[in-house]
Amino acid sequence: MTRIDAKFAALKAEGKKAFVAYVMAGDPDFDRSLELVRGLPGAGVDVIELGLPFTDPMADGPTIQLAGQRALETGMTLDRTLELARLFRQGDDETPIVMMGYYNPIYSRGVDRFLEQAKAAGIDGLIIVDLPPEEDDELCLPAQKAGLNFIRLATPTTDDKRLPKVLQNTSGFVYYVSITGITGAAEAEATDVGPEVARIKAATDLPVIVGFGINTPEKSRTIASVADGAVVGSAIVGRIGSGAPVAEVLDFVKSLADAAHSA
Amino acid sequence: MNDLFNSFMSGPDEQGRFGIFGGRFVSETLMPLILSLEEEYDRAKDDPSFWAEMEDLWTHYVGRPSPLYYAERLTQHLGGAKVYLKRDELNHTGAHKINNVLGQIILARRMGKTRIIAETGAGQHGVATATVCAKFGLKCVVYMGAHDVERQAPNVFRMRLLGAEVIPVTSGRGTLKDAMNDALRDWVTNVRDTFYCIGTVAGPHPYPAMVRDFQSIIGKEAKEQMMAAEGRLPDTIIAAIGGGSNAMGLFHPFLDDKEVRIIGVEAGGKGVNEKMEHCASLTGGRPGVLHGNRTYLLQDDDGQILEGYSISAGLDYPGIGPEHSWLHEVGRAEYVAITDAEALEAFQLCCATEGIIPALEPCHALAHVMKIVPDLPADHIICMNMCGRGDKDVQTVAKHLGFDMSDTEGRRAG
């Protein structure tokens, strides 16, 4: 059982929804990023999604693109991202960390070596946007074998015929992308999301968490209420981008987490 | 052993791979779209009415077949092998790009898509897409790096005249790869009515194979025309490579003619060195995953993608089609690099000896022809793809040669 499995089992026992926060590793710089990540559990974050910076984030909108650029400009690398996770892990052995990003930096490192290093750094799961089930041999299967969860995205274009294929090698949780589009663009609507989550839950026992298009505490609550939890990324990252101090960002995160937990 | 098993023409496999290259590295949202495109293409490929429509448009709209032209004065000047040019620069819209665009737009129409998006670097693929969309009354949106919008102003105006919306891309560094990122972002947002018309033999399967098939008309014609002119196949075929679609189009029909030497010419920019001031993915890059496929990429030690550099905006891309990566690794084709300076020299020689103003992209191929021809015997035949005309590049060339275009006396400035 990974930290992710343990966390969702505990939330289920409490009857609580999960709140997942996305931040870009190294944004705006390594020290403030570490301070922010260390503050997330205290602000009520159940699972941390740690963005791995990449020059060409094809599924992300401008907010997260800029965050990645800021991080890369301060010298962020795969090694430094793992280092950030490792430092966080020294003071927190419970909160799961999911690394989210694109395949090339991992492929460039070498899959086996990466998995070993990620595991040692205390990473619990991976969301790699450009690895659909058709490419499972690349990283998904080796990651599961190494004891890391591989969390798959399901989307509004994943029809019933395709859903089993998407769920087949998924573990930890299912990340439902609420909209067709990029991060930080359109708004998720609970009326659209609810039936889709129900459709996925009918096909799997894994928790279904919804992300993309959630940017306010109200949205966090309404979306969490029709799923097992909500993810917020761009709205948090945007505040970091506009220069808000870490404490202020954490206050905002807390308002989102409280809202999701009240659902 | 049956020769079919040794064919270089059978790829890609069912996973869209050429060896380890290619594949379908896209987000889940796009996956169903790519699968339905593959299905539709597989149907069209075997449908005579699809090819009949292509033939008709190639003949009457594009002006195919393009001539195979014996460059006599160039041959005499270089004093060695006999040089033929495949004249794809004479196509409607001035380059090979339209061969592929027609195929994809006909497919889009078969699929009931009403909105076409495209990325463009130099603007040639954008102009070709805008042209065919105008012909069929389809909405057209072209993503173009803000930097390229500036340096290719005439093509931007052309696209707008043709009714396309041109969106300058400021994300990343505002070049071709960023335009491709933004086109993918558009597609993932507008999945239901939109068709993404990719301009080169890259992207997720089935694009590399599909674009190659559409461009293969170049090589098929060249083969027949060479048989008619010389009664035999050429000894060497040669083409410039950015993403590699004109080259793949020329090369593919010759892949199993093992006596034919195949050379791809990458953009060496200011020289293939550690400063990465070039776009030679095969010569100076290593395998990675970007824009839906595994292929050779310009990247740093951490797997971050680097910006290429070339005098030619059409070659300014940090990747290359996956089939080229495979042909490189199995050794069926050779890949070399040519610098900006060498390409500029070829540009001038072509103008002066043949009365053809070439695009800067094929000037890279021509520069390599200039290098190898003098050492080859007179009975050696070379076929080079002249894939685009140079009207769009006149200003760039003037600037690099130090000509002041406002000086009507023709004096050299600077």
Side-chain angles (χ1 to χ4, degrees), chain A residues 81 113-114 133:
Chain A
T81 302
R113 207 167 133 223
F114 164 77

Side-chain angles (χ1 to χ4, degrees), chain B residues 17 27 36 57 82 137 150 154 180 203 258 272 277 287 311 347 398:
Chain B
R17 301 283 181 100
S27 64
S36 83
L57 288 165
K82 201 168 178 186
E150 244 170 70
M180 196 151 178
K258 288 174 192 158
V272 181
E277 288 171 318
I311 188 174
F347 181 96

Side-chain angles (χ1 to χ4, degrees), chain B residues 327-347:
Chain B
L327 290 171
H328 168 67
E329 291 215 338
V330 299
R332 175 62 188 99
E334 300 160 50
Y335 294 86
V336 297
I338 281 291
T339 64
D340 287 356
E342 291 168 324
L344 277 169
E345 203 184 312
F347 181 96

Side-chain angles (χ1 to χ4, degrees), chain A residues 92-128:
Chain A
D92 183 322
D93 198 31
E94 274 172 30
T95 311
I97 304 176
V98 175
M99 187 185 271
M100 183 162 181
Y102 297 81
Y103 184 39
N104 199 53
I106 294 170
Y107 179 71
S108 171
R109 173 60 47 96
V111 164
D112 291 341
R113 207 167 133 223
F114 164 77
L115 288 173
E116 206 174 286
Q117 293 173 335
K119 186 94 178 146
I123 304 277
D124 305 288
L126 302 171
I127 301 178
I128 305 301

Side-chain angles (χ1 to χ4, degrees), chain B residues 238-254:
Chain B
I238 184 161
I241 297 187
S245 70
N246 92 80
M248 214 52 243
L250 176 65
F251 296 172
H252 195 257
F254 289 96

Side-chain angles (χ1 to χ4, degrees), chain B residues 277-313:
Chain B
E277 288 171 318
H278 64 88
C279 293
S281 317
L282 288 176
T283 319
R286 62 192 171 90
V289 173
L290 179 73
H291 292 152
N293 62 141
R294 176 168 22 231
T295 192
Y296 273 72
L297 299 172
L298 301 183
Q299 54 185 320
D300 69 13
D301 291 341
D302 210 41
Q304 303 294 341
I305 309 303
L306 298 170
E307 298 285 337
Y309 162 80
S310 168
I311 188 174
S312 149

